[in-house]
Amino acid sequence: MPIFDIDFETMPREGLEAIQLRRLQTTLERIYATVPFYKETYDKAGIKPTDIKSLDDLRRLPFTTKQDLRDNYPYAMFAVPMEQIVRIHASSGTTGKPTVVGYTKRDIATWAELMARSMSAAGATNGDIIHNAWGYGLFTGGLGAHYGAERLGASVIPVSGGNTKRQITIMQDFKPTILCGTPSYILHLAEVADEMGVDFKDLYFKSGIFGAEPWTEEMRQELEAKCNLKAVDIYGLSEVIGPGVSIECVEEQKGLHVFEDHFIVEVVDPDTLEPLPYGEPGELVFTSITKEAFPVIRYRTKDITSLNPTPCTCGRTHVRMNKPTGRTDDMLIIRGVNVFPSQIESVLMETREVAPHYQLEVDRIDNLDTLTVKVEIDETSFSDDIKGLQAMEAKLSHDIKEHLGVSARVALVEPKTIERSQGKAVRVIDNRKL
Amino acid sequence: MMAEQISIFIENKEGRLAEVTAILRDAQVNIRALSLADTTDFGVLRLIVNDNDKATAALKKEGFTVGKTQVLAVEVTDEPGGLNKVLDPLCEQDVNVEYMYAFANPQCKNAIMIFRFDDIDKAKEILAQKDIKVIDGKELSGL
């Protein structure tokens, strides 16, 4: 398969590391001068950008967390004046406030480049037609893939999420050859196609690029069988750039190559925060070294995985990360949307009609993630009026959709029926087999 | 004049209703009448009992949410058109029934209808004008 940027993607480690160090040092000097958060943090830690003389010195720098981004909401982490910002994206935060990220013109170009590399790794060329079923909007999935497809020179169909039957008609008529989307949605799409009597064998796909939520090897086999294509995993998060931080190559489909000329990847022990050697599982940490508007240094993703330095048959020299196996926090990904239990809690508190005893139950029914929010009823919220109680459920469900962008069924339950362990309510029951 | 009904929130789970009635049995509470309104997830059990305080205390002790609602207990004659005698005057003056349920008066042949109206005071007034017998809470408990 062709490699989009053969020079950088197959660069020998020595050269790659020299570039990483130079770019890291430049980034550090710039953010120390322009972002008060980094200056204060580094001054407090007694470290100067000039102290970083080797890649190994990176471990001396403090981490950046989602809390830091929240404290600097919305724009205080930006390293350039607003005049240079051309795009803003956002992802869910642990409270009502989202995490806001900005891009300069060059950042958008970098991101498009990385997505073009990713699509190329999945087997796409400028002759392909890309069916992009990731959502367009504040979420980075849709627009990230869109710009990448254009950079590659492929034809992109900006179909976005939803309206599944129309998507299938488009697949039949527009003849797309590359499919992008969240794996659970694509499986749902395959089922709807089946109901409509449409066989993927009669469609034109060769590869599928799936991500924005965790998925397993079993799901890969299912996706490949049902959709008649090669399925590769893509990884990214808006805090780092969006999708295109790492991608599997279609040759191996075994671990995701991290684009190390743009990001330095580490895996650290989530308790001691010490960097771990290759192969050992821990929390994934990224440092961006080419971003202008929103650089992040040692950003803790809370995703758990390990790194694999074994040379790959595809020719890329960039280290591979294994599929993330879990999270260190309670974040759920439901149909590609990040959901924190605390967000649901703040919606419930806002209405003040129900007790803050709640539980999220996540299931995968017919390959679609479903969220049920169970809320305990109490004396103040209870009335003998069924219509009133149902209206309360509907209102909460509507408010959750409004605030979080995720559909949830709200079910009122009896008081003290939500499981409590050691006095603490069990907030999440995830029945999805991942 | 008014009667007090207690209501209980119960999830649609096997055996849940029997648990409620067992609690009342153990508390020596007698059920005069009941109705169950339900949705797919939950139901609301509405009860007329001989001792509201005892019933409420026993149910709360077992963790149930108990509500109290003012309702009217109306005697309806046991003959064709008996119910219309009650409903027609209310309907004429725009009083709506939110829900109702019935039981037989053990002391005579008549039925007792438990009504929840959207405007209980107006309903009371109309029924008094029409000389329709409304049974008060005390009498109801003592039946």
Side-chain angles (χ1 to χ4, degrees), chain B residues 3-69:
Chain B
E4 199 171 59
Q5 163 202 274
I6 59 170
S7 49
I8 305 147
F9 181 91
I10 46 178
E11 280 173 56
N12 280 358
K13 279 189 208 157
E14 221 169 283
R16 210 62 183 136
L17 183 59
E19 277 172 51
V20 172
T21 52
I23 292 165
L24 296 176
R25 176 197 63 204
D26 296 345
Q28 295 289 304
V29 172
N30 194 18
I31 300 169
R32 288 263 173 275
L34 88 171
S35 95
L36 181 64
D38 68 328
T39 70
T40 49
D41 301 321
F42 62 84
V44 174
L45 181 65
R46 299 162 181 148
L47 293 166
I48 300 290
V49 298
N50 66 344
D51 190 335
N52 277 346
D53 294 339
K54 217 200 244 180
T56 305
L59 288 164
K60 280 195 177 174
K61 201 173 147 242
E62 295 299 323
F64 284 91
T65 304
V66 185
K68 281 180 185 166
T69 317

Side-chain angles (χ1 to χ4, degrees), chain A residues 257-382:
Chain A
H257 291 280
V258 178
F259 293 121
E260 286 185 282
D261 51 332
H262 293 273
F263 311 106
I264 299 175
V265 59
E266 299 170 87
V267 165
V268 303
D269 183 317
D271 298 320
T272 65
L273 298 179
E274 284 303 314
L276 294 168
Y278 283 146
E280 278 189 38
E283 183 176 340
L284 200 55
V285 171
F286 285 103
T287 298
S288 75
I289 51 176
T290 54
K291 275 173 77 192
E292 292 182 333
F294 194 89
V296 282
I297 306 299
R298 304 197 84 196
Y299 183 71
R300 291 180 60 184
T301 64
K302 309 224 170 185
D303 283 322
I304 304 280
T305 190
S306 56
L307 297 174
N308 172 15
T310 320
C312 186
T313 53
C314 73
R316 288 178 184 79
T317 50
H318 296 191
V319 70
R320 281 177 282 176
M321 54 178 257
N322 292 311
K323 265 178 175 298
T325 53
R327 304 256 319 157
T328 62
D329 64 5
D330 55 3
M331 187 179 91
L332 291 163
I333 302 179
I334 296 163
R335 300 195 198 184
V337 180
N338 296 352
V339 174
F340 290 94
S342 53
Q343 289 177 293
I344 303 271
E345 185 170 312
S346 54
V347 171
L348 298 180
M349 299 298 274
E350 227 169 81
T351 67
R352 287 173 187 281
E353 276 176 8
V354 287
H357 294 294
Y358 64 94
Q359 187 174 58
L360 313 187
E361 203 171 297
V362 192
D363 287 285
R364 187 159 281 173
I365 298 167
D366 296 335
N367 290 313
L368 262 192
D369 292 344
T370 60
L371 171 64
T372 304
V373 180
K374 291 184 173 176
V375 186
E376 283 186 6
I377 194 130
D378 67 1
E379 300 271 315
T380 49
S381 54
F382 176 61

Side-chain angles (χ1 to χ4, degrees), chain A residues 384 390 393 409 413-415, chain B residues 11 16 41 46 65 99:
Chain A
D384 74 329
Q390 284 182 312
E393 286 184 334
R409 191 176 74 93
V413 299
E414 288 168 23
Chain B
E11 280 173 56
R16 210 62 183 136
D41 301 321
R46 299 162 181 148
T65 304
Y99 55 79

Side-chain angles (χ1 to χ4, degrees), chain A residues 81-291:
Chain A
M82 283 310 280
E83 288 78 11
Q84 290 177 38
I85 301 284
V86 298
R87 177 93 66 82
I88 290 163
H89 278 286
S91 70
S92 329
T94 47
T95 62
K97 298 270 194 240
T99 302
V100 179
V101 297
Y103 300 79
T104 63
K105 259 183 198 162
R106 212 187 90 185
D107 290 335
I108 294 287
T110 302
W111 188 17
E113 180 89 11
L114 295 177
M115 279 307 289
R117 284 188 192 180
S118 301
M119 289 173 168
S120 184
T125 68
N126 59 5
D128 280 300
I129 301 174
I130 296 174
H131 184 102
N132 184 14
W134 275 308
Y136 282 64
L138 281 178
F139 170 59
T140 48
L143 284 166
H146 185 98
Y147 275 63
E150 290 188 346
R151 175 71 185 85
L152 182 65
S155 319
V156 57
I157 308 171
V159 67
S160 196
N163 212 338
T164 308
K165 284 187 178 160
R166 190 187 65 173
Q167 297 222 10
I168 291 159
T169 306
I170 286 173
M171 288 175 177
Q172 288 176 293
D173 298 346
F174 296 11
K175 303 182 172 51
T177 49
I178 305 284
L179 181 57
C180 296
T182 55
S184 64
Y185 179 68
I186 300 299
L187 277 173
H188 172 68
L189 198 133
E191 265 165 21
V192 175
D194 194 42
E195 284 163 21
M196 288 168 69
V198 175
D199 190 338
F200 268 79
K201 289 200 177 68
D202 299 327
L203 299 179
Y204 310 88
F205 291 115
K206 53 183 189 188
S207 299
I209 304 171
F210 305 132
E213 67 185 12
W215 53 301
T216 56
E217 278 309 317
E218 290 72 34
M219 275 178 83
R220 189 203 306 272
Q221 284 162 17
E222 200 181 339
L223 280 159
E224 293 194 334
K226 282 191 174 160
C227 301
N228 193 38
L229 46 69
K230 293 274 251 180
V232 301
D233 192 5
I234 189 164
Y235 177 87
L237 59 169
S238 57
E239 296 93 317
V240 176
I241 200 159
V245 173
S246 62
I247 180 100
E248 283 178 332
C249 54
V250 73
E251 291 90 342
E252 287 264 334
Q253 296 175 289
K254 207 171 172 7
L256 301 89
H257 291 280
V258 178
F259 293 121
E260 286 185 282
D261 51 332
H262 293 273
F263 311 106
I264 299 175
V265 59
E266 299 170 87
V267 165
V268 303
D269 183 317
D271 298 320
T272 65
L273 298 179
E274 284 303 314
L276 294 168
Y278 283 146
E280 278 189 38
E283 183 176 340
L284 200 55
V285 171
F286 285 103
T287 298
S288 75
I289 51 176
T290 54
K291 275 173 77 192

